[in-house]
Coordinates of all heavy atoms in Angstrom, one line a residue:
D156 N 12.3 9.7 15.5 CA 11.3 9.0 16.2 C 9.9 9.5 15.9 O 9.7 10.6 15.3 CB 11.6 9.1 17.7 CG 12.9 8.5 18.1 OD1 13.3 7.5 17.5 OD2 13.6 9.1 19.0
K157 N 8.9 8.9 16.4 CA 7.5 9.3 16.3 C 7.0 9.5 14.8 O 6.2 10.3 14.5 CB 7.3 10.6 17.0 CG 7.6 10.5 18.5 CD 7.4 11.9 19.2 CE 7.7 11.8 20.7 NZ 7.6 13.1 21.4
V158 N 7.6 8.6 13.9 CA 7.2 8.6 12.5 C 6.0 7.7 12.4 O 6.1 6.5 12.7 CB 8.3 8.2 11.6 CG1 7.8 8.2 10.1 CG2 9.5 9.2 11.7
D159 N 4.9 8.2 11.9 CA 3.7 7.4 11.7 C 2.9 8.0 10.6 O 2.0 8.8 10.8 CB 2.8 7.3 13.0 CG 1.7 6.3 12.9 OD1 1.5 5.7 11.8 OD2 0.9 6.1 13.9
I160 N 3.3 7.7 9.4 CA 2.7 8.4 8.2 C 2.0 7.5 7.3 O 2.6 6.4 7.0 CB 3.9 9.1 7.4 CG1 4.7 10.1 8.3 CG2 3.3 9.8 6.2 CD1 5.9 10.6 7.7
V161 N 0.8 7.8 6.8 CA 0.1 7.0 5.8 C 0.1 7.8 4.6 O -0.4 9.0 4.5 CB -1.3 6.7 6.3 CG1 -2.1 6.0 5.2 CG2 -1.3 5.9 7.6
V162 N 0.7 7.3 3.5 CA 0.8 8.0 2.2 C -0.3 7.4 1.3 O -0.3 6.2 1.1 CB 2.1 7.9 1.5 CG1 2.1 8.6 0.2 CG2 3.2 8.4 2.4
I163 N -1.2 8.2 0.9 CA -2.3 7.7 0.1 C -2.2 8.4 -1.3 O -2.2 9.6 -1.4 CB -3.7 8.0 0.7 CG1 -3.9 7.2 2.0 CG2 -4.8 7.7 -0.3 CD1 -5.1 7.5 2.8
R164 N -1.9 7.6 -2.3 CA -1.5 8.0 -3.6 C -2.5 7.7 -4.7 O -3.0 6.5 -4.7 CB -0.2 7.4 -3.9 CG 0.3 7.4 -5.4 CD 1.4 6.4 -5.5 NE 1.9 6.2 -6.9 CZ 2.7 5.3 -7.3 NH1 3.2 4.4 -6.4 NH2 3.0 5.2 -8.6
E165 N -2.9 8.6 -5.5 CA -3.8 8.3 -6.7 C -3.0 7.4 -7.6 O -1.8 7.6 -7.9 CB -4.2 9.6 -7.4 CG -5.4 9.5 -8.2 CD -5.3 8.6 -9.4 OE1 -4.3 8.7 -10.1 OE2 -6.2 7.9 -9.7
N166 N -3.7 6.4 -8.1 CA -2.9 5.2 -8.6 C -3.2 5.0 -10.1 O -2.6 4.1 -10.7 CB -3.4 4.0 -7.9 CG -2.3 3.1 -7.4 OD1 -1.1 3.4 -7.6 ND2 -2.6 2.0 -6.9
T167 N -4.0 5.8 -10.8 CA -4.4 5.5 -12.1 C -4.1 6.5 -13.2 O -4.3 6.2 -14.4 CB -6.0 5.2 -12.2 OG1 -6.7 6.4 -11.8 CG2 -6.3 4.1 -11.2
E168 N -3.7 7.7 -12.8 CA -3.5 8.7 -13.9 C -2.2 9.5 -13.7 O -1.2 8.9 -13.3 CB -4.7 9.6 -14.0 CG -5.2 10.3 -12.8 CD -6.4 11.2 -13.0 OE1 -7.1 11.1 -14.0 OE2 -6.6 12.1 -12.2
G169 N -2.3 10.8 -13.9 CA -1.1 11.6 -13.7 C 0.0 11.3 -14.7 O -0.3 11.0 -15.9
E170 N 1.3 11.3 -14.3 CA 2.4 11.0 -15.2 C 2.4 9.5 -15.6 O 3.1 9.1 -16.6 CB 3.7 11.3 -14.6 CG 3.9 12.8 -14.4 CD 3.3 13.4 -13.1 OE1 2.6 12.6 -12.4 OE2 3.6 14.6 -12.8
Y171 N 1.6 8.7 -14.9 CA 1.6 7.2 -15.2 C 0.5 6.9 -16.3 O 0.1 5.7 -16.4 CB 1.3 6.4 -13.9 CG 2.5 6.4 -13.0 CD1 3.0 7.5 -12.4 CD2 3.1 5.1 -12.7 CE1 4.1 7.4 -11.5 CE2 4.2 5.1 -11.9 CZ 4.7 6.2 -11.3 OH 5.7 6.1 -10.4
S172 N -0.1 7.9 -16.9 CA -1.1 7.7 -17.9 C -0.6 6.9 -19.1 O -1.4 6.3 -19.8 CB -1.7 9.0 -18.3 OG -2.3 9.7 -17.2
G173 N 0.7 6.9 -19.3 CA 1.3 6.2 -20.4 C 1.0 6.8 -21.8 O 1.1 6.1 -22.8
L174 N 0.7 8.1 -21.8 CA 0.5 8.7 -23.1 C 1.7 9.5 -23.6 O 1.9 10.6 -23.2 CB -0.7 9.7 -23.0 CG -2.0 9.0 -22.5 CD1 -3.1 10.1 -22.3 CD2 -2.5 8.0 -23.6
E175 N 2.5 8.8 -24.3 CA 3.8 9.4 -24.8 C 3.9 9.1 -26.3 O 3.5 8.1 -26.8 CB 5.0 8.7 -24.1 CG 5.1 9.0 -22.6 CD 6.4 8.4 -22.0 OE1 6.7 7.3 -22.3 OE2 7.0 9.1 -21.3
H176 N 4.5 10.1 -27.0 CA 4.8 9.8 -28.4 C 5.9 10.8 -28.8 O 6.2 11.8 -28.2 CB 3.6 10.1 -29.3 CG 3.1 11.5 -29.2 ND1 2.2 12.0 -28.2 CD2 3.3 12.6 -30.0 CE1 2.0 13.2 -28.4 NE2 2.6 13.6 -29.5
E177 N 6.6 10.4 -29.9 CA 7.7 11.2 -30.5 C 7.1 12.2 -31.5 O 6.6 11.7 -32.5 CB 8.8 10.3 -31.1 CG 10.0 11.1 -31.5 CD 11.1 10.2 -31.9 OE1 10.8 9.2 -32.7 OE2 12.3 10.4 -31.5
V178 N 7.1 13.4 -31.2 CA 6.6 14.5 -32.1 C 7.4 14.5 -33.4 O 6.8 14.4 -34.5 CB 6.6 15.8 -31.4 CG1 5.9 16.9 -32.3 CG2 5.8 15.8 -30.0
V179 N 8.7 14.7 -33.2 CA 9.6 14.7 -34.3 C 10.8 14.0 -33.8 O 11.0 13.9 -32.5 CB 10.0 16.1 -34.9 CG1 8.8 16.8 -35.5 CG2 10.6 17.0 -33.7

Side-chain angles (χ1 to χ4, degrees):
D156 299 323
K157 300 179 182 178
V158 177
D159 186 358
I160 303 169
V161 176
V162 181
I163 293 175
R164 161 192 175 193
E165 203 291 318
N166 228 4
T167 61
E168 55 177 21
E170 291 86 352
Y171 286 65
S172 300
L174 300 174
E175 295 185 313
H176 63 278
E177 190 172 42
V178 182
V179 295

